[in-house]
Amino acid sequence: TASICIIAKKVVTLPSKSFVYTIMKSFVATIVAVLSSLSLTAEIYFNVDDIYYYRLSDDQVAVAHNIEAEYSGQLVIPEVITDFGTTYHVTAIGEGAFLHCSELISISIPDGVIAISDNAFSGCSSLASISIPTTVKYIGASAFQDCSLLDSVAIPVGVTTIGSAAFLGCSGLPVENNL
């Protein structure tokens, strides 16, 4: 039922409570829908077990660069991670993900990773051991540049692209492999 209010000798009919409730409910639903659609398309960075990730899709992530991260010692990147109840497969090592992590000694990359992006491990001067899975198809430019302690790298047969200077400055590798 509508209420009647007299303001300055004018009769004004106010909307009923159920009408206001319906309008507010519709407004809130619209705001929720807009915010939900934004979160589905937003670029999201997050941290799981001290490794930073970038969401690529609803179920895939890349290891992300974070200037504040100080990776050292032996690092194992998991094949699958969970963040706030959502499970993601790690499918890439992002650009500069471990750039200049000079205390990183060894890293194990999980099956399912298909790309090691540009500068992913560039400047990791203590990196002596890396395990590249057979699922990798792409190794980016300067991916391992200046990893001077690397003395061997097994490149899977499925790799179709190796970027320029991918192993430049890896003085522990034989010259013919120092791409």
Side-chain angles (χ1 to χ4, degrees):
T1 62
S3 300
I4 298 176
C5 181
I6 300 175
I7 300 174
K9 297 185 182 181
K10 287 190 177 184
V11 176
V12 178
T13 304
L14 299 176
S16 68
K17 288 182 183 177
S18 64
F19 177 75
V20 171
Y21 174 77
T22 302
I23 294 297
M24 288 304 293
K25 186 176 173 183
S26 175
F27 175 74
V28 169
T30 302
I31 294 298
V32 168
V34 167
L35 291 176
S36 294
S37 70
L38 289 177
S39 68
L40 290 177
T41 60
E43 297 178 19
I44 296 179
Y45 290 88
F46 55 92
N47 174 335
V48 174
D49 296 329
D50 296 325
I51 299 175
Y52 292 85
Y53 298 93
Y54 168 72
R55 189 172 77 173
L56 298 171
S57 69
D58 289 341
D59 66 346
Q60 295 181 3
V61 293
V63 177
H65 175 72
N66 184 308
I67 197 162
E68 296 174 5
E70 295 183 20
Y71 300 105
S72 62
Q74 299 175 337
L75 183 65
V76 176
I77 299 172
E79 188 172 343
V80 176
I81 61 166
T82 301
D83 184 55
F84 290 105
T86 302
T87 300
Y88 299 97
H89 296 274
V90 179
T91 59
I93 307 300
E95 186 171 340
F98 299 98
L99 183 67
H100 299 298
C101 290
S102 60
E103 302 298 317
L104 189 60
I105 295 170
S106 71
I107 190 155
S108 179
I109 300 172
D111 285 336
V113 168
I114 58 173
I116 299 173
S117 300
D118 298 352
N119 298 300
F121 299 96
S122 182
C124 293
S125 56
S126 296
L127 187 63
S129 172
I130 187 151
S131 170
I132 300 176
T134 58
T135 53
V136 170
K137 306 287 182 226
Y138 174 86
I139 298 174
S142 302
F144 297 95
Q145 184 172 343
D146 296 326
C147 294
S148 55
L149 293 184
L150 273 180
D151 59 5
S152 69
V153 175
I155 298 177
V157 294
V159 172
T160 58
T161 303
I162 298 177
S164 65
F167 296 95
L168 183 68
C170 294
S171 53
L173 292 176
V175 174
E176 63 269 13
N177 292 330
N178 207 344
L179 304 172

